[in-house]
């Protein structure tokens, strides 16, 4: 960096859209599984805009600092049980061993309004093991944008799939979709104070010839099953997801130590040890 703050790419700066980094010492490969977050990030219908205000600036004050006002349910984020379960664990109360460890990135391609089923999970490779962090790539992350298609037409997790993951005793579940459930099973459709996407129920009827009330009678059923079992969830996985799909990886998904937090923006990463030689430092 020179004396007026210009970074030289490849030296002291980094491309904010870079999805893979290689540690030159350990040879570990770090693969970004998060979407870029910031001003203008896609916001779920009904949520307030992310507000980022500059408190001080370099030109005026010689320092740069920002104030952020937002909900935590945008971009790549984790949901704690308290989000849907009264009395459930908040973000800070979750066991930290859930957020780092063995995991699998599964390729389960789905088109609009399809569901990831228990049968999909059972057949996916590599096989899911107890204690795994499970990341599901439906292909929907490629549509991440401020669009009615991304939020309103996404795939979701079926009730039987959610229960299958609970029975498998996984540590964490991530999807590359805006919600864990099918969008018609959320407040985007006809549930609670919805529809937050006012044209969505009729559009579903027009496109499928089906009644969304009959197809999705319950509100967030899959998400409720996971959170009531104490399994945190991650929505809007993305980044370089395709680069590690079909692989076993070490997954990093740490949230803030957020007391009473219902959700938290996270940096979701896959870590791959190509030659199997790296070990954690002893601390000596």
């Amino acid at each position: 960096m020179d004396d007026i703050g210009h970074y030289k790419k490849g030296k002291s700066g980094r491309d904010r859209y870079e999805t893979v980094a290689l540690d030159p010492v350990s040879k570990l490969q770090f693969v970004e599984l998060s979407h870029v977050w910031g001003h203008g990030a896609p916001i779920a219908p009904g949520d307030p805009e992310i507000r980022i205000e500059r408190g001080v600036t370099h030109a005026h004050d010689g320092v740069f600092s920002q104030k952020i006002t937002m909900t935590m349910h945008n971009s790549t984020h984790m949901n704690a049980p308290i989000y849907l379960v009264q009395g459930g664990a908040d973000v800070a109360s979750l066991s930290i061993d859930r957020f780092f460890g063995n995991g699998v990135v599964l390729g389960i391609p789905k088109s609009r309004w399809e569901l990831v089923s228990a049968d999909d999970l059972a057949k996916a490779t590599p096989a899911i093991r107890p204690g795994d962090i499970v990341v599901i790539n439906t292909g929907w992350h490629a549509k991440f944008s401020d669009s009615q298609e991304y939020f309103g037409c996404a795939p979701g997790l079926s009730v039987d799939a959610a229960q299958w993951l609970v029975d498998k005793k996984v540590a964490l579940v991530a999807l590359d979709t805006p919600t864990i459930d099918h969008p018609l099973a959320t407040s985007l459709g006809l549930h609670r104070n919805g529809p937050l996407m006012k044209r969505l129920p009729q559009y579903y009827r027009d496109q499928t010839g089906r009644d969304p009330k009959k197809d999705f009678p319950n509100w967030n059923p899959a998400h409720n099953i996971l959170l009531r079992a104490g399994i945190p969830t991650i929505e809007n996985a993305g980044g370089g997801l395709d680069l590690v799909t079909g692989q076993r990886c070490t997954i990093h998904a740490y949230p803030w130590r957020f007391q009473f937090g219902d959700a938290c923006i996270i940096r979701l990463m896959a870590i791959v040890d190509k030659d199997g030689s790296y070990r954690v430092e002893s601390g000596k």
Side-chain angles (χ1 to χ4, degrees):
M1 185 173 72
D2 66 23
D3 61 359
I4 60 169
H6 290 147
Y7 281 98
K8 297 177 181 178
K9 187 175 179 181
K11 301 295 182 181
S12 47
R14 180 172 182 265
D15 182 348
R16 65 175 67 93
Y17 296 105
E18 182 182 357
T19 54
V20 180
L22 182 67
D23 182 81
V25 177
S26 68
K27 306 302 181 185
L28 293 177
Q29 186 181 69
F30 293 80
V31 182
E32 183 76 65
L33 303 184
S34 309
H35 288 295
V36 173
W37 178 90
H39 178 74
I43 299 295
D47 281 357
E49 178 62 272
I50 298 170
R51 293 180 58 191
I52 303 176
E53 303 169 74
R54 292 177 295 176
V56 291
T57 65
H58 285 299
H60 186 270
D61 307 286
V63 65
F64 181 55
S65 180
Q66 300 174 89
K67 180 178 76 173
I68 300 171
T69 306
M70 64 174 187
T71 73
M72 283 287 187
H73 298 271
N74 59 74
S75 191
T76 308
H77 67 278
M78 177 180 294
N79 303 293
I82 197 173
Y83 172 47
L84 293 179
V85 183
Q86 187 173 2
D90 64 0
V91 173
S93 300
L94 292 166
S95 177
I96 61 173
D97 60 354
R98 286 187 180 270
F99 310 134
F100 183 86
N102 296 329
V104 62
V105 183
L106 302 177
I108 305 178
K110 292 293 175 181
S111 299
R112 60 168 51 194
W113 292 324
E114 291 185 337
L115 290 170
V116 175
S117 68
D119 190 51
D120 290 328
L121 295 172
K123 291 178 178 177
T125 56
I128 298 172
R129 301 170 185 167
D132 271 348
I133 295 172
V134 178
V135 183
I136 300 172
N137 179 359
T138 68
W140 207 253
H141 64 282
K143 298 179 182 290
F144 183 67
S145 62
D146 176 23
S147 69
Q148 294 186 20
E149 181 185 27
Y150 179 72
F151 288 100
C153 301
L157 196 67
S158 71
V159 169
D160 69 329
Q163 188 59 54
W164 190 94
L165 290 162
V166 170
D167 295 342
K168 201 70 175 180
K169 296 181 171 58
V170 303
L172 191 62
V173 175
L175 268 75
D176 66 335
T177 56
T179 59
I180 293 297
D181 278 276
H182 191 289
L184 271 302
T186 73
S187 300
L188 297 180
L190 295 167
H191 291 279
R192 290 167 59 85
N193 60 335
L196 295 177
M197 294 187 72
K198 296 189 182 302
R199 292 184 291 274
L200 182 60
Q202 188 58 52
Y203 183 62
Y204 180 82
R205 290 188 190 94
D206 293 343
Q207 294 294 308
T208 66
R210 301 181 64 85
D211 183 347
K213 285 185 177 181
K214 290 183 178 178
D215 285 356
F216 306 101
N218 299 316
W219 178 68
N220 280 319
H223 210 173
N224 267 291
I225 288 171
L226 291 168
L227 294 182
R228 289 183 184 281
I231 300 173
T233 57
I234 295 170
E235 295 166 325
N236 296 310
L241 195 58
D242 293 338
L243 301 176
V244 289
T245 295
Q247 297 182 34
R248 285 205 144 267
C249 314
T250 298
I251 304 292
H252 169 288
Y254 277 101
W256 304 347
R257 195 176 183 184
F258 183 9
Q259 186 178 21
F260 308 124
D262 58 301
C264 189
I265 306 294
I266 64 168
R267 193 71 177 268
L268 183 61
M269 304 289 295
I271 306 170
V272 180
D273 183 7
K274 292 289 188 180
D275 61 13
S277 63
Y278 183 74
R279 295 294 181 269
V280 175
E281 289 287 354
S282 66
K284 295 180 181 179

